[in-house]
Amino acid sequence: MSETWQKRTKLVHGGTRRSQYNEVSEAIFLTQGFVYDSAEAAEARFIKAGADEFIYARYGNPTVAMFEDRIAALEGAEDAFATASGMAAVSGALTSLLRAGDHVVSARALFGSCLYVLEEILTRFGVEVTFVDGTDLEQWRAAIRPGTKAVFFETISNPTLDVVDIRSVAELAHAAGALVLVDNVFATPVFSRAIEQGADVVIYSATKHIDGQGRTLGGVILGTRDFIRGTVEPYMKHTGGSMSPFTAWVMLKGLETIDLRVRAQTASAQAIAEALHGDARLARVIYPGLSSHPQHDLVRAQMGEGGTVLALDLKGGQEAAFRFLNALEIVVISNNLGDAKSIVTHPATTTHQRLPAAQKAALGITPGLVRLSVGLEDCGDLIRDIQNALEAAFRG
């Protein structure tokens, strides 16, 4: 792969390995194991596998390796490890790195399953976790201390779309010798410059924009070759969270079109946010691309665009929110995001249901808040669908 290739070229051709048949589309190597020419060759491979030498599908596979190489080239990372789901990536990156007695500082605004890993699993095994407001640099500065092992945050939080200053938090973390791990799903690989801005480890749920078409689960951890092969790989291959070859093939196909899809979805999200901004029926329209967003200038500097997701806070609380969801005709009710289909979610009763009421309130997850992941439908149709649903929710 040429170093001069631009992003879209890397997304189509990066990491390609062709068999003896010189196929155009990447081959799916649906095999759990590999044959050795001799007992001596098997012994040598178990001592140290060479480039493009494989042992067992849980350890690695040619199709999976193509996906890892391609997403690493896109992100600007040295290496990547593909996982069975986004949460396998989050838990694998954190658990492979940390041990009893280590200290982690994390942003408080996180997806429910990420909170569970930090609050319940890591602390169960003796890891100390301190939570901060991710948008407040003074809280990061106060919480990070000499010996802090890692910091973790969603670069754009789910579902209230707070934006964390990667570069500034990374400077504080690195001064204390801590690694910076970021869940970068809402930023997307298309707009991400997280490694350039100081992140050491970038994590994606590939289920979202990378597949982006509602087909399969997957995740990926990106970082230095030493971290991926020395820390993550031994843990993942022994605990079983690796990606399947078929999933990797689906993800490869997704990468071919991700730049086109995400840019189109982002343009629609911006137009929808602008159309709804100031609507009297809404307490808030939260979208990083709006000038009203508290971190709008940071968004422009860090990503350049606002992304594919916005949040609407309906006056009238849960009752109005439910009427709104039930009146939508194009936008579907589900709990995924980053899909070709527009999806709406009520976080307080679904993805963030387990949070205590006080914590929901502190995070801004109100009863009227709905999260809208914008798909590839016609933007005008989406705006009309949303406006019609708002009229139905507040009629009478």
Side-chain angles (χ1 to χ4, degrees):
M1 183 176 67
S2 171
E3 294 296 323
T4 64
W5 284 0
Q6 297 302 302
K7 181 178 290 184
R8 287 190 186 175
T9 307
K10 292 177 181 177
L11 287 170
V12 175
H13 296 287
T16 299
R17 293 162 169 79
R18 289 192 170 91
S19 75
Q20 69 271 31
Y21 300 110
N22 283 322
E23 60 279 345
V24 174
S25 182
E26 297 81 2
I28 309 175
F29 291 91
L30 285 178
T31 179
Q32 33 75 330
F34 300 84
V35 174
Y36 313 101
D37 291 335
S38 66
E40 290 80 6
E43 178 187 35
R45 193 170 300 183
F46 269 78
I47 293 171
K48 184 174 178 58
D52 278 337
E53 290 185 340
F54 301 94
I55 294 171
Y56 192 62
R58 183 157 43 84
Y59 295 13
N61 171 280
T63 312
V64 176
M66 282 191 272
F67 170 66
E68 292 170 343
D69 288 350
R70 189 170 296 180
I71 188 67
L74 170 62
E75 191 70 31
E78 289 182 1
D79 210 343
F81 193 92
T83 64
S85 69
M87 283 313 305
V90 170
S91 62
L94 289 167
T95 309
S96 66
L97 173 66
L98 301 169
R99 61 182 63 196
D102 285 343
H103 177 236
V104 177
V105 181
S106 172
R108 186 176 292 108
L110 296 174
F111 175 57
S113 294
C114 294
L115 278 172
Y116 182 83
V117 170
L118 287 158
E119 289 182 319
E120 302 291 338
I121 296 176
L122 293 178
T123 55
R124 186 185 306 164
F125 294 105
V127 175
E128 181 186 357
V129 182
T130 302
F131 289 100
V132 299
D133 177 346
T135 65
D136 187 340
L137 287 177
E138 291 308 312
Q139 290 194 28
W140 285 106
R141 185 174 285 110
I144 297 169
R145 64 194 190 218
T148 296
K149 186 74 171 183
V151 303
F152 176 75
F153 54 91
E154 295 174 355
T155 55
I156 302 179
S157 70
N158 179 12
T160 52
L161 307 177
D162 295 328
V163 182
V164 178
D165 186 337
I166 300 172
R167 195 181 299 278
S168 296
V169 174
E171 288 175 358
L172 294 173
H174 291 158
L179 289 181
V180 178
L181 289 77
V182 301
D183 181 334
N184 211 33
V185 167
F186 280 56
T188 81
V190 172
F191 298 127
S192 171
R193 292 186 290 122
I195 289 177
E196 172 192 329
Q197 291 158 350
D200 299 296
V201 181
V202 178
I203 301 163
Y204 288 105
S205 170
T207 311
K208 278 57 176 185
H209 303 91
I210 295 172
D211 172 21
Q213 291 158 84
R215 297 170 295 194
T216 190
L217 295 174
V220 64
I221 307 166
L222 300 110
T224 64
R225 188 158 288 109
D226 283 349
F227 180 76
I228 296 299
R229 299 302 156 189
T231 301
V232 173
E233 181 185 305
Y235 175 84
M236 296 303 295
K237 75 182 185 181
H238 291 301
T239 56
S242 53
M243 180 178 282
S244 77
F246 178 77
T247 297
W249 183 83
V250 173
M251 298 301 176
L252 283 163
K253 298 294 98 181
L255 283 177
E256 291 180 351
T257 62
I258 188 175
D259 192 84
L260 299 169
R261 287 184 286 106
V262 165
R263 291 187 188 279
Q265 290 167 296
T266 297
S268 291
Q270 181 76 38
I272 293 168
E274 290 174 357
L276 297 175
H277 186 62
D279 191 303
R281 297 163 295 194
L282 300 172
R284 296 179 292 167
V285 176
I286 309 171
Y287 181 63
L290 287 177
S291 58
S292 59
H293 191 282
Q295 293 96 38
H296 177 70
D297 291 342
L298 174 61
V299 171
R300 289 298 182 196
Q302 192 160 287
M303 288 173 51
E305 300 288 346
T308 67
V309 179
L310 60 149
L312 310 175
D313 196 350
L314 280 74
K315 296 176 180 177
Q318 181 175 319
E319 184 178 349
F322 276 25
R323 287 198 302 265
F324 170 73
L325 266 65
N326 293 337
L328 289 163
E329 294 183 353
I330 297 173
V331 182
V332 299
I333 303 170
S334 188
N335 47 282
N336 195 22
L337 60 93
D339 196 275
K341 296 177 177 65
S342 292
I343 293 172
V344 68
T345 305
H346 187 251
T349 56
T350 59
T351 57
H352 293 69
Q353 184 184 57
R354 65 176 287 269
L355 298 183
Q359 192 168 352
K360 289 177 187 173
L363 294 174
I365 303 172
T366 65
L369 188 78
V370 297
R371 187 190 72 195
L372 175 63
S373 172
V374 179
L376 292 173
E377 302 93 344
D378 180 85
C379 184
D381 287 343
L382 290 174
I383 291 173
R384 282 187 292 274
D385 190 35
I386 293 165
Q387 290 177 333
N388 289 341
L390 282 172
E391 290 177 12
F394 290 91
R395 187 175 293 131

